[in-house]
PDB file of all heavy atoms in Angstrom:
ATOM      1  N   PHE A 233      -5.727   1.199  -8.207  1.00 98.00           N
ATOM      2  CA  PHE A 233      -5.195   0.007  -8.869  1.00 98.00           C
ATOM      3  C   PHE A 233      -3.974   0.362  -9.705  1.00 98.00           C
ATOM      4  O   PHE A 233      -2.929  -0.288  -9.617  1.00 98.00           O
ATOM      5  CB  PHE A 233      -6.288  -0.635  -9.746  1.00 98.00           C
ATOM      6  CG  PHE A 233      -5.768  -1.676 -10.682  1.00 98.00           C
ATOM      7  CD1 PHE A 233      -5.475  -2.955 -10.245  1.00 98.00           C
ATOM      8  CD2 PHE A 233      -5.579  -1.378 -12.031  1.00 98.00           C
ATOM      9  CE1 PHE A 233      -4.988  -3.925 -11.122  1.00 98.00           C
ATOM     10  CE2 PHE A 233      -5.099  -2.336 -12.913  1.00 98.00           C
ATOM     11  CZ  PHE A 233      -4.798  -3.615 -12.458  1.00 98.00           C
ATOM     12  N   VAL A 237      -0.250  -1.095  -9.041  1.00 98.00           N
ATOM     13  CA  VAL A 237       0.434  -1.907 -10.055  1.00 98.00           C
ATOM     14  C   VAL A 237       1.741  -1.225 -10.451  1.00 98.00           C
ATOM     15  O   VAL A 237       2.776  -1.885 -10.580  1.00 98.00           O
ATOM     16  CB  VAL A 237      -0.466  -2.161 -11.287  1.00 98.00           C
ATOM     17  CG1 VAL A 237       0.332  -2.774 -12.433  1.00 98.00           C
ATOM     18  CG2 VAL A 237      -1.632  -3.063 -10.900  1.00 98.00           C
ATOM     19  N   LEU A 241       5.472  -2.875 -10.417  1.00 98.00           N
ATOM     20  CA  LEU A 241       6.313  -2.929 -11.615  1.00 98.00           C
ATOM     21  C   LEU A 241       7.661  -2.248 -11.381  1.00 98.00           C
ATOM     22  O   LEU A 241       8.702  -2.765 -11.795  1.00 98.00           O
ATOM     23  CB  LEU A 241       5.583  -2.299 -12.805  1.00 98.00           C
ATOM     24  CG  LEU A 241       4.329  -3.028 -13.285  1.00 98.00           C
ATOM     25  CD1 LEU A 241       3.605  -2.201 -14.347  1.00 98.00           C
ATOM     26  CD2 LEU A 241       4.654  -4.417 -13.805  1.00 98.00           C
ATOM     27  N   LYS A 246       6.336  -9.212 -10.668  1.00 96.00           N
ATOM     28  CA  LYS A 246       5.526  -9.633 -11.811  1.00 96.00           C
ATOM     29  C   LYS A 246       4.049  -9.358 -11.541  1.00 96.00           C
ATOM     30  O   LYS A 246       3.577  -9.464 -10.408  1.00 96.00           O
ATOM     31  CB  LYS A 246       5.719 -11.128 -12.088  1.00 96.00           C
ATOM     32  CG  LYS A 246       7.144 -11.495 -12.452  1.00 96.00           C
ATOM     33  CD  LYS A 246       7.503 -10.952 -13.800  1.00 96.00           C
ATOM     34  CE  LYS A 246       8.929 -11.319 -14.165  1.00 96.00           C
ATOM     35  NZ  LYS A 246       9.499 -10.495 -15.177  1.00 96.00           N
ATOM     36  N   VAL A 247       3.343  -9.028 -12.605  1.00 97.00           N
ATOM     37  CA  VAL A 247       1.895  -8.807 -12.537  1.00 97.00           C
ATOM     38  C   VAL A 247       1.253  -9.695 -13.588  1.00 97.00           C
ATOM     39  O   VAL A 247       1.695  -9.724 -14.741  1.00 97.00           O
ATOM     40  CB  VAL A 247       1.538  -7.314 -12.769  1.00 97.00           C
ATOM     41  CG1 VAL A 247       0.039  -7.097 -12.771  1.00 97.00           C
ATOM     42  CG2 VAL A 247       2.202  -6.435 -11.708  1.00 97.00           C
ATOM     43  N   ASP A 248       0.223 -10.405 -13.202  1.00 94.00           N
ATOM     44  CA  ASP A 248      -0.528 -11.318 -14.054  1.00 94.00           C
ATOM     45  C   ASP A 248      -0.972 -10.628 -15.356  1.00 94.00           C
ATOM     46  O   ASP A 248      -1.280  -9.428 -15.346  1.00 94.00           O
ATOM     47  CB  ASP A 248      -1.736 -11.789 -13.227  1.00 94.00           C
ATOM     48  CG  ASP A 248      -2.775 -12.526 -14.023  1.00 94.00           C
ATOM     49  OD1 ASP A 248      -2.654 -13.755 -14.130  1.00 94.00           O
ATOM     50  OD2 ASP A 248      -3.699 -11.869 -14.539  1.00 94.00           O
ATOM     51  N   GLY A 249      -1.044 -11.379 -16.450  1.00 96.00           N
ATOM     52  CA  GLY A 249      -1.406 -10.834 -17.754  1.00 96.00           C
ATOM     53  C   GLY A 249      -2.761 -10.148 -17.787  1.00 96.00           C
ATOM     54  O   GLY A 249      -2.918  -9.094 -18.410  1.00 96.00           O
ATOM     55  N   GLU A 250      -3.758 -10.736 -17.135  1.00 96.00           N
ATOM     56  CA  GLU A 250      -5.103 -10.147 -17.092  1.00 96.00           C
ATOM     57  C   GLU A 250      -5.063  -8.778 -16.406  1.00 96.00           C
ATOM     58  O   GLU A 250      -5.672  -7.813 -16.874  1.00 96.00           O
ATOM     59  CB  GLU A 250      -6.044 -11.087 -16.334  1.00 96.00           C
ATOM     60  CG  GLU A 250      -7.431 -10.545 -16.096  1.00 96.00           C
ATOM     61  CD  GLU A 250      -8.272 -11.450 -15.189  1.00 96.00           C
ATOM     62  OE1 GLU A 250      -7.930 -12.644 -15.018  1.00 96.00           O
ATOM     63  OE2 GLU A 250      -9.272 -10.945 -14.661  1.00 96.00           O
ATOM     64  N   LEU A 251      -4.306  -8.678 -15.321  1.00 98.00           N
ATOM     65  CA  LEU A 251      -4.216  -7.422 -14.585  1.00 98.00           C
ATOM     66  C   LEU A 251      -3.336  -6.409 -15.321  1.00 98.00           C
ATOM     67  O   LEU A 251      -3.592  -5.205 -15.269  1.00 98.00           O
ATOM     68  CB  LEU A 251      -3.715  -7.667 -13.167  1.00 98.00           C
ATOM     69  CG  LEU A 251      -4.616  -8.582 -12.322  1.00 98.00           C
ATOM     70  CD1 LEU A 251      -4.056  -8.753 -10.927  1.00 98.00           C
ATOM     71  CD2 LEU A 251      -6.053  -8.093 -12.288  1.00 98.00           C
ATOM     72  N   THR A 252      -2.332  -6.887 -16.024  1.00 97.00           N
ATOM     73  CA  THR A 252      -1.508  -6.007 -16.845  1.00 97.00           C
ATOM     74  C   THR A 252      -2.357  -5.391 -17.956  1.00 97.00           C
ATOM     75  O   THR A 252      -2.217  -4.203 -18.271  1.00 97.00           O
ATOM     76  CB  THR A 252      -0.311  -6.779 -17.444  1.00 97.00           C
ATOM     77  OG1 THR A 252       0.467  -7.306 -16.375  1.00 97.00           O
ATOM     78  CG2 THR A 252       0.556  -5.894 -18.306  1.00 97.00           C
ATOM     79  N   TYR A 253      -3.245  -6.183 -18.535  1.00 97.00           N
ATOM     80  CA  TYR A 253      -4.136  -5.666 -19.581  1.00 97.00           C
ATOM     81  C   TYR A 253      -5.077  -4.598 -19.020  1.00 97.00           C
ATOM     82  O   TYR A 253      -5.304  -3.558 -19.649  1.00 97.00           O
ATOM     83  CB  TYR A 253      -4.925  -6.809 -20.231  1.00 97.00           C
ATOM     84  CG  TYR A 253      -5.800  -6.357 -21.364  1.00 97.00           C
ATOM     85  CD1 TYR A 253      -5.247  -5.808 -22.528  1.00 97.00           C
ATOM     86  CD2 TYR A 253      -7.185  -6.451 -21.276  1.00 97.00           C
ATOM     87  CE1 TYR A 253      -6.053  -5.367 -23.566  1.00 97.00           C
ATOM     88  CE2 TYR A 253      -7.999  -6.016 -22.324  1.00 97.00           C
ATOM     89  CZ  TYR A 253      -7.429  -5.477 -23.455  1.00 97.00           C
ATOM     90  OH  TYR A 253      -8.226  -5.039 -24.491  1.00 97.00           O
ATOM     91  N   LEU A 254      -5.601  -4.829 -17.821  1.00 98.00           N
ATOM     92  CA  LEU A 254      -6.464  -3.840 -17.168  1.00 98.00           C
ATOM     93  C   LEU A 254      -5.677  -2.549 -16.915  1.00 98.00           C
ATOM     94  O   LEU A 254      -6.185  -1.445 -17.161  1.00 98.00           O
ATOM     95  CB  LEU A 254      -7.015  -4.404 -15.849  1.00 98.00           C
ATOM     96  CG  LEU A 254      -7.925  -3.501 -15.033  1.00 98.00           C
ATOM     97  CD1 LEU A 254      -9.179  -3.105 -15.821  1.00 98.00           C
ATOM     98  CD2 LEU A 254      -8.307  -4.203 -13.737  1.00 98.00           C
ATOM     99  N   TYR A 255      -4.462  -2.679 -16.470  1.00 98.00           N
ATOM    100  CA  TYR A 255      -3.559  -1.531 -16.256  1.00 98.00           C
ATOM    101  C   TYR A 255      -3.387  -0.766 -17.571  1.00 98.00           C
ATOM    102  O   TYR A 255      -3.457   0.460 -17.601  1.00 98.00           O
ATOM    103  CB  TYR A 255      -2.226  -2.066 -15.730  1.00 98.00           C
ATOM    104  CG  TYR A 255      -1.148  -1.052 -15.445  1.00 98.00           C
ATOM    105  CD1 TYR A 255      -1.155  -0.309 -14.270  1.00 98.00           C
ATOM    106  CD2 TYR A 255      -0.083  -0.875 -16.319  1.00 98.00           C
ATOM    107  CE1 TYR A 255      -0.137   0.596 -13.983  1.00 98.00           C
ATOM    108  CE2 TYR A 255       0.936   0.027 -16.044  1.00 98.00           C
ATOM    109  CZ  TYR A 255       0.902   0.755 -14.871  1.00 98.00           C
ATOM    110  OH  TYR A 255       1.911   1.643 -14.592  1.00 98.00           O
ATOM    111  N   TYR A 256      -3.196  -1.483 -18.661  1.00 97.00           N
ATOM    112  CA  TYR A 256      -3.057  -0.888 -19.999  1.00 97.00           C
ATOM    113  C   TYR A 256      -4.337  -0.146 -20.393  1.00 97.00           C
ATOM    114  O   TYR A 256      -4.280   0.982 -20.882  1.00 97.00           O
ATOM    115  CB  TYR A 256      -2.716  -1.989 -21.001  1.00 97.00           C
ATOM    116  CG  TYR A 256      -2.868  -1.585 -22.442  1.00 97.00           C
ATOM    117  CD1 TYR A 256      -1.884  -0.832 -23.077  1.00 97.00           C
ATOM    118  CD2 TYR A 256      -3.992  -1.954 -23.171  1.00 97.00           C
ATOM    119  CE1 TYR A 256      -2.022  -0.455 -24.407  1.00 97.00           C
ATOM    120  CE2 TYR A 256      -4.144  -1.583 -24.490  1.00 97.00           C
ATOM    121  CZ  TYR A 256      -3.160  -0.829 -25.098  1.00 97.00           C
ATOM    122  OH  TYR A 256      -3.301  -0.442 -26.413  1.00 97.00           O
ATOM    123  N   LEU A 257      -5.496  -0.788 -20.180  1.00 98.00           N
ATOM    124  CA  LEU A 257      -6.778  -0.147 -20.533  1.00 98.00           C
ATOM    125  C   LEU A 257      -7.005   1.153 -19.755  1.00 98.00           C
ATOM    126  O   LEU A 257      -7.588   2.097 -20.291  1.00 98.00           O
ATOM    127  CB  LEU A 257      -7.951  -1.110 -20.262  1.00 98.00           C
ATOM    128  CG  LEU A 257      -8.065  -2.321 -21.184  1.00 98.00           C
ATOM    129  CD1 LEU A 257      -9.204  -3.231 -20.708  1.00 98.00           C
ATOM    130  CD2 LEU A 257      -8.295  -1.894 -22.620  1.00 98.00           C
ATOM    131  N   LEU A 258      -6.526   1.181 -18.521  1.00 98.00           N
ATOM    132  CA  LEU A 258      -6.687   2.380 -17.688  1.00 98.00           C
ATOM    133  C   LEU A 258      -5.576   3.404 -17.943  1.00 98.00           C
ATOM    134  O   LEU A 258      -5.509   4.429 -17.288  1.00 98.00           O
ATOM    135  CB  LEU A 258      -6.700   1.988 -16.206  1.00 98.00           C
ATOM    136  CG  LEU A 258      -7.944   1.229 -15.750  1.00 98.00           C
ATOM    137  CD1 LEU A 258      -7.732   0.592 -14.395  1.00 98.00           C
ATOM    138  CD2 LEU A 258      -9.167   2.127 -15.762  1.00 98.00           C
TER     139      LEU A 258
END
Side-chain angles (χ1 to χ4, degrees):
F233 168 79
V237 169
L241 294 173
K246 298 291 180 200
V247 177
D248 169 89
E250 174 187 342
L251 299 181
T252 300
Y253 183 64
L254 180 60
Y255 180 80
Y256 166 79
L257 290 175
L258 290 166

